[in-house]
Amino acid sequence: MASFAKVAGSLSTAAATSSRYYSPTARLAPQLQNRILGTKSASFGARAFTTSRALEEKKYTTDHEWIELSSDGKTGTIGVSTYAAKNLGDVVFVEAPAPGLEVNAGDAIGAVESVKSASDIMSPVSGKIIEANDVLQEKPGTINKGPEAEGWIARIEVKDKGEVGKLMGEVEYGRFTAE
């Protein structure tokens, strides 16, 4: 019976000399590079595409709304932050924006009412509302359960992606809410 060291040694020698063997580090190299550089890569044939994580990152306003751009950067999903949802308390009513509404950054696009207070929902960017979350009409408490997921408020066709870059990232927003 062969010892473990002898078998492991022969496997590593075979893996080093033959491309037929699987190398876990060969698969990890691009993933590690992407983590270090903050990029995502995808290869399609001979062409490689890289996108910046900064564009895909959820961004926040000082009024506690968030926006997350789609992968093409043309549309974004808007909602209230987890921080805002916790401070609002139990949400009992949501006034959602109407699709087709043209807005500028900072314009009110709806309202959220809770047992504690009422608050306007402000658009983080300029654009055109293309969809409202109809679930919130019947189940406004969805905002409390998942304010940054299924409790989203609206989807917007973004007019100027540059406005998104001016908003806070998650780390900066975390510091902002900790003050």
Side-chain angles (χ1 to χ4, degrees):
M1 182 173 231
S3 72
F4 175 74
K6 195 180 239 185
V7 171
S10 65
L11 285 175
S12 63
T13 303
T17 59
S18 173
S19 62
R20 292 184 320 188
Y21 293 94
Y22 171 74
S23 170
T25 56
R27 255 189 69 208
L28 287 178
Q31 294 170 351
L32 292 173
Q33 177 185 355
N34 291 340
R35 277 191 132 173
I36 293 166
L37 297 176
T39 61
K40 286 185 179 178
S41 296
S43 293
F44 300 97
R47 266 180 100 177
F49 297 93
T50 302
T51 60
S52 170
R53 271 207 191 122
L55 278 179
E56 296 174 357
E57 179 184 25
K58 195 174 281 185
K59 299 288 192 161
Y60 297 85
T61 69
T62 55
D63 292 322
H64 307 288
E65 286 87 16
W66 57 266
I67 184 166
E68 187 170 36
L69 290 181
S70 61
S71 59
D72 66 5
K74 294 179 183 179
T75 61
T77 303
I78 298 171
V80 297
S81 69
T82 301
Y83 176 85
K86 286 180 182 176
N87 286 307
L88 278 169
D90 293 333
V91 175
V92 294
F93 177 76
V94 177
E95 179 188 341
L101 178 68
E102 296 272 346
V103 296
N104 292 314
D107 286 355
I109 59 169
V112 176
E113 293 180 18
S114 71
V115 293
K116 290 182 182 179
S117 66
S119 181
D120 284 334
I121 302 164
M122 311 303 240
S123 179
V125 295
S126 302
K128 181 180 175 182
I129 302 296
I130 55 174
E131 183 182 2
N133 187 351
D134 294 332
V135 170
L136 301 178
Q137 299 304 307
E138 292 184 31
K139 298 179 181 180
T142 304
I143 287 180
N144 297 110
K145 293 176 187 162
E148 297 191 33
E150 67 271 8
W152 59 275
I153 306 291
R155 292 209 166 95
I156 188 169
E157 187 177 278
V158 179
K159 188 175 183 179
D160 179 7
K161 283 193 280 189
E163 290 178 335
V164 177
K166 296 175 185 174
L167 301 173
M168 294 179 276
E170 288 185 58
V171 172
E172 190 179 357
Y173 182 70
R175 282 188 286 234
F176 173 76
T177 57
E179 294 175 353

